[in-house]
């Protein structure tokens, strides 16, 4: 069975760590702590120079829902064209209508802008009205992959929907399992839903190198200090990759502790 491990990263440092850990491809974004937004050009260029694996760029102009204004959708299209010219291998995006259904017209326009790039419908899918209808519409509009947790807060909770989606897709579109993914979850998803493609961040909080700190000032998200930096954990990527390598070798049932 062919497997895939995609790691989402929001820094050049994390991108390098993820590649060294065995990631097959990267989702490049900014602001991973709020679910990710479109990365900066210089950030993408740095990652493109240091990584020789596939780079899929998140195209999400802002935090929040996936009902975009005309101006925001124009940004989405322009960003897709720009990252295509900069050497991206794929784009990750999604648009919904106010009624919760996929915005088919806009997704067709996205497919046209992306041209030959790999197109992933991201977790807008997880807040759509009907995932089974949306799967068929995603195929019709030319998406190559759906990134999903099975419409749950984490993929372990959405495994029944994931199982149904994989059966319905029947190889016509890739179901990329995301949210809460680690080596152990991959083992469970392989056994329970027969998934083979996974998306994870493997992030950990590391302490800032700042010596001088002003405890009276807070400029970030509530409950998260400016002096905590999120970085990809290489060991988490290595563990996840090892599970997938065992699957490809027909050894997914080997004791969970082996090689870790």
């Amino acid at each position: 069975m062919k497997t895939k491990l995609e790691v989402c990263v929001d820094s050049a440092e994390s991108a390098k760590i993820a590649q060294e850990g065995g990631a097959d491809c990267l989702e490049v974004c900014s602001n991973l702590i709020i679910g990710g937004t479109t990365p900066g050009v210089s950030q993408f260029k740095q990652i493109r120079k240091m990584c020789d694996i596939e780079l899929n760029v998140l195209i999400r102009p802002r935090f929040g829902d996936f009902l975009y204004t005309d101006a925001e959708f124009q940004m989405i299209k322009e960003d897709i064209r720009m990252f295509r010219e900069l050497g991206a291998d794929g784009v990750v995006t999604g648009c919904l209508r106010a009624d919760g259904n996929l915005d088919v017209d806009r997704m067709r326009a996205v497919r046209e802008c992306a041209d030959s790039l790999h197109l992933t419908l991201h977790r807008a899918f997880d807040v759509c009205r009907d995932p089974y209808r949306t799967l068929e519409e995603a195929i019709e509009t030319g998406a190559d992959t759906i990134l999903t947790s099975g419409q749950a807060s984490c993929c372990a909770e959405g495994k029944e929907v994931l199982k149904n989606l994989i059966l319905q897709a029947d190889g016509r579109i890739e179901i990329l399992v995301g949210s809460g993914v680690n080596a152990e979850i991959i083992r469970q998803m392989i056994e329970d839903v027969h998934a083979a493609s996974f998306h994870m961040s493997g992030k950990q909080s590391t302490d800032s190198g700042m010596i001088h700190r002003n405890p009276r000032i807070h400029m970030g998200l509530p409950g998260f200090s400016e002096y905590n930096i999120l970085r990809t954990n290489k060991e988490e990527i290595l563990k996840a990759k090892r599970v997938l390598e065992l699957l490809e070798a027909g050894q997914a049932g080997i004791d969970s502790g082996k090689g870790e």
Side-chain angles (χ1 to χ4, degrees), residues 181-222:
V181 171
N182 57 32
E184 185 55 40
I185 291 296
I186 289 175
R187 288 191 186 92
Q188 294 175 20
M189 292 294 109
I190 289 170
E191 181 177 349
D192 294 342
V193 308
H194 307 295
S197 298
F198 296 90
H199 171 99
M200 66 183 291
S201 67
K203 61 183 179 291
Q204 67 176 0
S205 178
T206 61
D207 194 42
S208 166
M210 288 293 298
I211 297 172
H212 170 74
R213 304 184 181 194
N214 185 342
R216 300 184 302 277
I217 303 297
H218 181 73
M219 296 181 286
L221 295 173

Side-chain angles (χ1 to χ4, degrees), residues 32-46:
L32 192 53
I33 194 171
I34 55 170
T37 55
T38 306
V41 172
S42 58
Q43 175 193 349
F44 175 81
K45 286 181 176 179
Q46 286 187 51

